[in-house]
Amino acid sequence: MMTSKERVMAAFAHEIPDRVPVWLGASPAWRAKAIRALGLPDDESLSRRVGDDFRRVTAPYAGPPERAPYHDLPPGVTFRSPFGILRHGYEGGQPVSHPLEHAETVREIDAYEWPDPAWIDVTSIRAQAEPYADEYAILGGDWSPFWHDAIDLLGMPNLMMKMYDAPEIVDAVLGHVVEYYFEVSRRIFDAAGDVIDIFFIGNDFGSQIGPLMGEAQFRRFIAPHLKRLIDLGHDYGLRVLMHCCGGYAPLIPTMIELGLDGLQALQPNCRGMDPASIKAQFGDRLLLMGAINSQLIIERAPEAVRAETRRILSIMMPGGGYVASPSHDYVLEETPVENVLALYDTARKFGVYAPA
């Protein structure tokens, strides 16, 4: 029987493991709810209950209090991003304003109060990872949602128009944002890269009905920065896994060209993301992670979740290269605990590979 780490790394290598690995990405609120409902003593017990093959390490904020994520927030604001963006609403919400939307010169962009990577304290990463590093696949590095941050800073319609009307502004914003994330992750990997297995990043390049930009714009504005992060992970001997929501199938060949090792989410209800099609087109070149419809998991009964999990397993298991999980990186608080357990119990029961 493989360890979780061996199982996950076999999946990345497109070798056949003993069973399909599984991953649970869930909000702190859902995890707390599940721990209470199941009468478990702690968060680690929940991970073991679902059979999670991964453990994740994160570096806390340690910079000026006025830039901290939750310090002294104005009424109605729920979060402050590293770039000083105030957000309101559920699970991080939406930006209150776009501080660079009226910027007309690169000098204005350069003069913005960009965050310092030294504000992130990497000293605890090794201690977080070491107890699990021999048994589990360790996810680490900064989430690095540089596309989202550019949207927050400029405003989405403005950002899209500036790709054509003022590309130097977009280049400057993305350059500053990615430089911050690059340096944060470099510091993390310098401190503990030898006990991390996977550089896990997240950017949503798809909508419900297709990519948010064409391939030409993706190659022009996004690909150089994404490649920089991918190369960083590879320089430390890590696999690079990216969460990406929406329907972005036309962009996947470019992602593969850039060296990406795996994609997480795979929302089957978005255009172009049919699991059988994604598996057939890309399953031999990427680790595929997700595809079990998160919306169904929230709305339907456990029996429906079990049936859908078995259906996705039948599509995604052949040939290896698959990790079972919901089609999002965050199980939300309203998701019934019994539905989530139905997914993971089914994946462990029916995700076993026949001996060679």
Side-chain angles (χ1 to χ4, degrees):
M1 185 175 179
M2 289 180 162
T3 65
S4 289
K5 182 191 290 287
E6 292 169 340
R7 187 174 298 124
V8 170
M9 301 320 288
F12 268 105
H14 295 274
E15 299 169 353
I16 304 299
D18 54 349
R19 64 164 175 82
V20 170
V22 302
W23 176 63
L24 171 61
S27 72
W30 185 86
R31 295 188 75 98
K33 181 178 82 168
I35 289 167
R36 291 192 303 270
L38 297 171
L40 297 173
D42 54 28
D43 194 74
E44 174 62 18
S45 298
L46 175 61
S47 295
R48 291 180 180 273
R49 167 63 184 84
V50 300
D52 195 338
D53 289 295
F54 299 77
R55 295 296 183 271
R56 193 169 184 177
V57 295
T58 58
Y61 178 84
E66 64 272 14
R67 294 292 290 270
Y70 301 104
H71 176 78
D72 197 21
L73 296 174
V77 171
T78 54
F79 181 74
R80 179 186 290 108
S81 83
F83 304 96
I85 306 295
L86 299 178
R87 299 174 67 89
H88 70 95
Y90 181 61
E91 292 288 359
Q94 300 297 319
V96 174
S97 64
H98 308 291
L100 292 176
E101 64 180 333
H102 299 300
E104 296 181 355
T105 67
V106 171
R107 179 175 294 181
E108 290 175 89
I109 303 301
D110 292 343
Y112 187 68
E113 190 177 354
W114 297 102
D116 185 343
W119 293 352
I120 303 302
D121 180 5
V122 303
T123 58
S124 68
I125 293 289
R126 178 171 294 279
Q128 291 178 50
E130 282 184 336
Y132 306 104
D134 290 337
E135 183 175 356
Y136 296 99
I138 306 298
L139 299 164
D142 198 288
W143 188 235
S144 308
F146 62 87
W147 169 243
H148 300 268
D149 293 308
I151 292 170
D152 285 0
L153 288 162
L154 290 168
M156 192 164 192
N158 185 39
L159 169 60
M160 294 297 194
M161 289 187 287
K162 277 183 165 49
M163 285 183 169
Y164 297 92
D165 298 338
E168 71 280 3
I169 297 294
V170 179
D171 288 337
V173 170
L174 287 172
H176 280 286
V177 171
V178 175
E179 177 65 18
Y180 167 76
Y181 285 130
F182 181 94
E183 285 300 320
V184 170
S185 287
R186 185 188 62 78
R187 290 163 57 87
I188 290 170
F189 300 149
D190 279 347
D194 58 317
V195 289
I196 295 171
D197 301 297
I198 301 154
F199 182 17
F200 192 21
I201 60 178
N203 275 284
D204 297 338
F205 299 119
S207 72
Q208 199 80 4
I209 60 172
L212 292 173
M213 70 195 82
E215 183 181 359
Q217 286 74 31
F218 186 79
R219 285 183 173 274
R220 164 67 178 82
F221 292 100
I222 301 300
H225 300 292
L226 183 55
K227 186 176 190 304
R228 190 180 182 206
L229 294 174
I230 291 169
D231 289 348
L232 174 66
H234 290 168
D235 286 346
Y236 285 85
L238 309 178
R239 297 286 191 168
V240 183
L241 174 68
M242 183 171 72
H243 161 82
C244 192
C245 281
Y248 57 92
L251 305 179
I252 294 177
T254 302
M255 296 175 180
I256 294 171
E257 181 184 317
L258 298 174
L260 189 67
D261 297 301
L263 277 170
Q264 188 277 326
L266 310 177
Q267 293 180 284
N269 52 327
C270 295
R271 180 177 293 174
M273 301 303 290
D274 172 67
S277 175
I278 295 297
K279 177 71 175 182
Q281 292 181 75
F282 309 115
D284 61 341
R285 292 176 287 170
L286 283 171
L287 175 93
L288 300 175
M289 182 178 189
I292 303 171
N293 195 328
S294 290
Q295 185 173 325
L296 179 147
I297 297 168
I298 292 174
E299 295 177 352
R300 303 288 295 278
E303 292 77 13
V305 177
R306 282 189 279 269
E308 179 66 3
T309 301
R310 293 189 66 177
R311 186 183 77 86
I312 296 299
L313 288 173
S314 71
I315 294 168
M316 305 298 278
M317 279 181 65
Y322 176 61
V323 175
S325 80
S327 63
H328 200 258
D329 65 305
Y330 233 41
V331 172
L332 298 173
E333 185 179 13
E334 65 263 32
T335 310
V337 172
E338 59 269 24
N339 287 10
V340 176
L341 296 181
L343 186 160
Y344 289 95
D345 291 347
T346 301
R348 289 202 311 279
K349 181 176 180 180
F350 295 99
V352 177
Y353 286 96

